Amino acid sequence: MKLPMSWLAEFVDTDGISMKEYNAALTMSGSKVEGIEYLGEEINKVVTGKIISSVDHPNSDHLHICMVDVGKEEPLQIVCGAPNADVGAIVPVALHKSTLPGGVKITKGKLRGEVSNGMLCSHEELGLTLNEVPYGDPNGLLHLDPSTPIGMDIRKVLGLDEYVTEFEITSNRPDCLSVIGLARETAATFNRPLKLHDPVVKGSGGNICDDLSIEIKDTDLCPRYTAKLVKNIKIEPSPAWMRERLFAAGVRPINNIVDITNYVMLEYGQPMHAFDYACLHDGKIIVRRPTEGEIIETLDGQKHELTPDMLCIADGTNPTAVAGVMGGFESEITEKTQTVVFESACFHGATVRVTAKKLGMRTEASARFEKGLSPENTMPAVLRACELVEMLGAGEVVDGVIDVDYSNHEPKRLPLECDKMNKLLGLSLSDEEQIEILTRLGFTVENGEVIVPYYRIDIERMCDLAEEVARIYGYNNIPTTLYAGESVLGALTEKQLFERKLGSLARTCGFDETISYSFGSPKMYDLIGLPEDSEQRISVTILNPLGEDFSVLRTTALPTLLDNLTHNFNHRNPAANLYEIATIYTPSIKDGKADPDVLPHEQHVLTLGSYGTLSFFQFKGALETILNRADVKDISFEPVNDNPSYHPGRCAKVLSGDTVIGVFGTIHPLIAKKTGIDQEILSAELYVDAMFDHMDAVKLYAPLPKFPASTRDIAVLCDENIPVASMEKAIKAAVGEILESVSLFDVYRGDKLPQGKKSVAYSLKLRHAERTLTDNECIDAMNKAIKALGDKFGAVLRG
């Protein structure tokens, strides 16, 4: 909700309150301020000026040399190309070193050899449209009212000298979606008087009942419908003050009748609609559920099929509006309109929300109705609209009002329980202090009962009243107290600590964290190349999804990781290293589908992705670092060539002992092509539960060795496709406990070797804990290693 401060000042005196103080105080009292905007912030050193002469430019066929009076001792010479640079016109003048919207800077200079000390402006150059300044010229300068003082700041002339505060209004406070509602909050927060106005309508004779009849057939969906009739309508632009306020509040001015309904909606929080009376057949308005298949064309020119679970406003023949959402195109106010029916009604909030969602039409009106509005507000709103009609001279208000009312006018009453509220809040306020705060907020206290004002539909019980007292008293003024009784300190579980450690390690290795939704589209499995018959495609379906793109719970986090990498690549990020501890959902499968009666198995997965920075082996090194530092024991890798998401020759499963704890590798080229990333994409998926189960955080002390180590090198010739990690594992198993370490130090491929062969060289460090090894023991260990490599892999010692 955008609140122009000048509009607020009509209802509450804000003198002496700075914007900073105002916004801080309203936020603390429960009306959260999202931001502050000064409408004329981008405009500087632009004033009004009068063109006192205009001659053709000697070196141009369309430029003019104008002398402009801007209220200084000497007029300014400004070169202008607008066709309406007329002598005597009052226009906006951008002076030397001025700024305009969009970061435009104006300085003096020469145009075709003639000095120009600034620029004469059109409305577009000031960031305005013809809706805000209907007197503007679409092809020329903005001509201002001839009575406008010369040298005046243009922001004051055009209503741009205005601060606007934007509030985040919670769904339980629809009354604050209005200027008056925020004025009530302001008055209560600063303890200042609230100046409300009772609309006064003079009328012009006649009787509305002679021309109009209203019937509500579905009173459960429309408890109250109020209407007034206005004849001899004059459609024209609204006055400047109304256009400026609507513009500041974020609403586009259209014409005086439409602007009046929008003005009342913003001021009172009550959506209104204006019908062209000539389009109402038989002079009837019927509020009813539509019949199946009824069609209405709304104001936006779209045709919609209505259903019986909606509510419409109809005449004697057809629907003329979707109740609470949007009016019909047929009854739209046009320049030919002579008589207007102003509608102010209350509709069932849930029905309006369902209707707006089904039709795909979220409007300012529906946003207010769906939160729940009070029927008490319909009459003041329609009277205010007619008061504005008379004030603007926009028509003649017919006497009388039709008010079909099935609502309950009995106010809500709650017991005043000051002691309970003090105990709940931890305060010791007197009864008088609490009553004074409630009175400031519009509540009435009589005979030990609190009478809730009609606009506070969110107040239901004692704790709601206590909250009202607390927010006005000041949350920061409530003393801090300890809970009575035994205190229990919370702590993270071992698994939670493990997950946090994984995230810290990933960040240490240069990966940035991402967070994504746990639900997605069934199409996401196509992105990663899953076969049509893959069980991973069987997902839990969400009953009330936001849309098809969010309709299932993911069984793998790889698609969202690729989406995040693609997002970075499309935003010209040359490299990205990302990680996420994601949740995946594996359903129980019944008859080839997810069993709806069994909750899916939730599992956390550490996903890592990279492009543009790391090579395959650097990525593997980062993976090993994370696993080692996380104390996951006995890590090894085995090649995988049947994973459809990864390159068949650059993919491996990650094992802890004999348990698979994940997979990593290069994304398959066909999948990478779908993402649009023209670089190698590396990815890893590690199951957090499996890693946690194979974690060994116990650190054993090992003294420095007392006996020297013996180092031996071995080089063997083997097939190209044999993983060096598997060979390393075989060496460890063959040599036994005297092998302190084995490390790969060379892999050679070349013309000197047979086709399909490679040379692999390892360095073995041998040591016995209790004595020095003999040469024979070392030779025996090496022979065991060579034999194991020969038996398992057909490797031979390289000469």
Side-chain angles (χ1 to χ4, degrees):
M1 174 69 189
K2 291 186 175 182
L3 176 65
M5 299 307 291
S6 62
W7 201 344
L8 173 68
E10 278 195 11
F11 302 99
V12 182
D13 180 11
T14 57
D15 289 345
I17 303 174
S18 67
M19 288 301 301
K20 183 177 181 181
E21 180 185 0
Y22 176 80
N23 295 321
L26 264 292
T27 297
M28 286 300 297
S29 67
S31 303
K32 183 183 176 184
V33 174
E34 281 290 288
I36 312 167
E37 179 185 9
Y38 179 63
L39 295 182
E41 185 173 5
E42 293 186 296
I43 300 175
N44 188 34
K45 295 187 71 175
V46 181
V47 299
T48 57
K50 182 176 183 179
I51 302 175
I52 56 180
S53 70
S54 178
V55 298
D56 292 339
H57 195 294
N59 300 319
S60 173
D61 58 356
H62 71 283
L63 295 178
H64 310 284
I65 301 175
C66 302
M67 300 302 295
V68 185
D69 181 7
V70 293
K72 296 183 179 181
E73 294 182 0
E74 297 291 335
L76 299 179
Q77 176 175 302
I78 297 177
V79 178
C80 177
N84 63 341
D86 304 328
V87 174
I90 307 294
V91 298
V93 181
L95 304 176
H96 175 53
K97 292 187 178 181
S98 60
T99 57
L100 297 174
V104 178
K105 296 181 180 180
I106 304 299
T107 58
K108 64 182 179 180
K110 287 188 176 182
L111 287 177
R112 302 264 180 111
E114 296 293 335
V115 174
S116 181
N117 292 292
M119 184 178 78
L120 307 184
C121 301
S122 67
H123 64 275
E124 292 181 342
E125 288 160 336
L126 296 173
L128 303 174
T129 68
L130 292 177
N131 294 103
E132 288 85 58
V133 283
Y135 50 84
D137 188 331
N139 300 309
L141 301 177
L142 177 61
H143 284 199
L144 303 171
D145 188 288
S147 63
T148 305
I150 295 172
M152 189 175 180
D153 190 328
I154 197 66
R155 294 177 293 192
K156 295 183 178 180
V157 175
L158 298 177
L160 300 176
D161 186 25
E162 173 75 271
Y163 280 98
V164 177
T165 301
E166 184 169 2
F167 290 89
E168 178 188 335
I169 306 300
T170 54
S171 58
N172 67 321
R173 292 299 305 273
D175 58 300
C176 287
L177 286 171
S178 65
V179 176
I180 290 178
L182 291 172
R184 290 191 183 106
E185 291 296 305
T186 301
T189 300
F190 292 97
N191 198 13
R192 295 193 176 189
L194 178 66
K195 300 175 288 185
L196 295 181
H197 163 71
D198 292 326
V200 177
V201 181
K202 298 176 182 178
S204 61
N207 189 335
I208 186 175
C209 295
D210 295 338
D211 300 300
L212 184 67
S213 66
I214 297 176
E215 178 185 2
I216 302 178
K217 287 191 175 181
D218 295 287
T219 58
D220 57 328
L221 303 185
C222 178
R224 190 173 188 181
Y225 194 101
T226 310
K228 290 279 288 181
L229 192 66
V230 181
K231 293 184 176 180
N232 299 324
I233 290 293
K234 300 174 186 176
I235 303 294
E236 57 188 6
S238 300
W241 62 269
M242 181 174 283
R243 294 197 310 271
E244 290 167 1
R245 284 188 174 179
L246 290 174
F247 173 70
V251 176
R252 178 170 59 94
I254 298 176
N255 60 51
N256 52 356
I257 299 302
V258 177
D259 291 351
I260 285 172
T261 62
N262 287 331
Y263 190 90
V264 173
M265 177 183 70
L266 293 173
E267 190 170 64
Y268 280 72
Q270 172 64 44
M272 293 188 60
H273 186 62
F275 296 99
D276 187 334
Y277 176 78
C279 298
L280 297 177
H281 298 289
D282 303 325
K284 293 182 178 179
I285 290 179
I286 303 173
V287 185
R288 60 174 174 82
R289 287 179 167 90
T291 58
E292 189 69 47
E294 274 193 293
I295 303 294
I296 184 173
E297 184 178 359
T298 48
L299 288 172
D300 57 3
Q302 301 294 317
K303 290 186 178 181
H304 301 276
E305 182 176 337
L306 305 180
T307 56
D309 58 346
M310 301 177 183
L311 187 69
C312 71
I313 312 299
D315 55 20
T317 307
N318 300 310
T320 59
V322 182
V325 181
M326 187 179 289
F329 184 78
E330 184 181 347
S331 60
E332 181 184 17
I333 303 300
T334 67
E335 294 181 355
K336 298 180 181 179
T337 300
Q338 295 295 316
T339 304
V340 165
V341 177
F342 279 112
E343 163 212 281
S344 177
C346 182
F347 302 114
H348 186 248
T351 301
V352 172
R353 178 173 176 79
V354 170
T355 301
K357 185 178 180 180
K358 280 189 175 182
L359 300 180
M361 300 164 58
R362 185 85 190 271
T363 62
E364 286 282 349
S366 68
R368 285 168 167 79
F369 277 122
E370 67 187 29
K371 292 176 175 63
L373 297 180
S374 170
E376 297 291 333
N377 211 24
T378 62
M379 184 64 77
V382 77
L383 294 178
R384 175 59 169 161
C386 292
E387 180 184 50
L388 289 171
V389 167
E390 293 182 339
M391 186 185 302
L392 271 56
E396 300 172 2
V397 181
V398 177
D399 285 352
V401 59
I402 296 180
D403 185 19
V404 184
D405 188 3
Y406 294 94
S407 63
N408 179 14
H409 292 269
E410 186 64 27
K412 190 181 300 180
R413 296 173 180 268
L414 298 173
L416 178 63
E417 301 172 298
C418 294
D419 290 341
K420 285 187 178 181
M421 289 196 285
N422 273 332
K423 289 180 180 179
L424 181 64
L425 299 174
L427 295 174
S428 56
L429 297 177
S430 66
D431 292 2
E432 290 75 17
E433 288 175 308
Q434 294 190 36
I435 292 172
E436 189 271 334
I437 290 176
L438 292 172
T439 304
R440 282 162 58 181
L441 287 165
F443 296 86
T444 304
V445 179
E446 293 180 357
N447 301 322
E449 286 187 322
V450 179
I451 302 175
V452 181
Y454 70 87
Y455 49 84
R456 291 304 304 273
I457 63 173
D458 58 310
I459 303 299
E460 296 288 344
R461 45 195 177 274
M462 179 274 293
C463 58
D464 296 327
L465 293 175
E467 182 183 2
E468 296 299 297
V469 171
R471 68 188 184 88
I472 298 302
Y473 178 75
Y475 293 121
N476 53 323
N477 295 324
I478 297 177
T480 302
T481 56
L482 293 175
Y483 286 109
E486 184 178 350
S487 62
V488 179
L489 298 178
L492 296 175
T493 65
E494 290 295 324
K495 186 175 178 183
Q496 289 172 328
L497 291 171
F498 180 70
E499 288 186 6
R500 293 198 175 191
K501 185 176 183 179
L502 288 177
S504 176
L505 290 170
R507 292 190 295 273
T508 302
C509 290
F511 291 83
D512 296 312
E513 184 175 13
T514 62
I515 300 175
S516 57
Y517 290 120
S518 295
F519 35 79
S521 166
K523 297 178 182 178
M524 64 182 171
Y525 302 124
D526 296 331
L527 173 65
I528 60 173
L530 287 184
E532 291 295 331
D533 59 351
S534 173
E535 284 196 355
Q536 272 195 294
R537 285 182 175 268
I538 302 175
S539 309
V540 176
T541 302
I542 300 172
L543 293 178
N544 56 341
L546 298 174
E548 184 183 0
D549 290 342
F550 306 97
S551 59
V552 298
L553 293 177
R554 63 187 176 188
T555 61
T556 171
L558 185 57
T560 47
L561 176 69
L562 293 178
D563 281 343
N564 291 332
L565 290 172
T566 303
H567 178 82
N568 278 268
F569 184 80
N570 291 340
H571 284 74
R572 299 173 183 256
N573 193 345
N577 297 316
L578 306 178
Y579 85 92
E580 178 181 7
I581 299 179
T583 304
I584 61 173
Y585 301 83
T586 306
S588 296
I589 300 175
K590 182 180 181 181
D591 299 329
K593 296 181 180 180
D595 189 346
D597 299 324
V598 180
L599 290 176
H601 173 62
E602 295 186 27
Q603 189 174 9
H604 286 181
V605 180
L606 172 63
T607 59
L608 301 104
S610 173
Y611 72 84
T613 302
L614 303 177
S615 69
F616 179 87
F617 292 106
Q618 288 173 327
F619 187 80
K620 176 176 177 286
L623 204 61
E624 290 177 308
T625 299
I626 292 173
L627 293 169
N628 289 331
R629 295 292 178 87
D631 300 317
V632 182
K633 60 186 178 182
D634 198 12
I635 296 299
S636 62
F637 301 89
E638 289 185 7
V640 175
N641 55 19
D642 60 352
N643 190 315
S645 303
Y646 292 88
H647 190 298
R650 297 176 68 83
C651 176
K653 56 185 176 182
V654 186
L655 299 98
S656 176
D658 296 327
T659 303
V660 177
I661 63 172
V663 64
F664 92 99
T666 300
I667 293 297
H668 198 289
L670 295 179
I671 295 173
K673 186 176 181 181
K674 293 178 185 178
T675 67
I677 301 176
D678 58 359
Q679 303 179 39
E680 181 183 35
I681 306 175
L682 298 163
S683 174
E685 302 166 75
L686 301 174
Y687 303 111
V688 174
D689 289 346
M691 287 192 289
F692 181 73
D693 291 340
H694 289 77
M695 179 188 67
D696 184 6
V698 177
K699 305 295 184 184
L700 297 177
Y701 167 74
L704 292 175
K706 298 178 180 179
F707 301 96
S710 180
T711 303
R712 298 286 190 272
D713 294 341
I714 182 174
V716 295
L717 194 66
C718 63
D719 292 340
E720 174 67 41
N721 60 354
I722 295 176
V724 294
S726 300
M727 297 174 69
E728 181 179 314
K729 190 174 182 181
I731 293 172
K732 290 180 179 178
V735 175
E737 62 182 14
I738 67 169
L739 179 64
E740 185 173 284
S741 67
V742 56
S743 59
L744 176 73
F745 69 86
D746 182 58
V747 178
Y748 172 73
R749 300 175 180 87
D751 297 337
K752 296 180 180 181
L753 298 181
Q755 185 71 23
K757 297 290 185 177
K758 63 181 176 182
S759 172
V760 182
Y762 293 94
S763 177
L764 284 66
K765 181 184 285 189
L766 307 172
R767 191 197 306 267
H768 198 286
E770 298 177 355
R771 57 185 173 78
T772 301
L773 290 173
T774 65
D775 287 340
N776 288 334
E777 287 177 311
C778 293
I779 292 171
D780 182 57
M782 295 299 291
N783 289 334
K784 288 180 181 179
I786 295 169
K787 185 177 186 305
L789 295 176
D791 292 344
K792 289 190 176 183
F793 307 106
V796 296
L797 193 64
R798 186 179 175 194

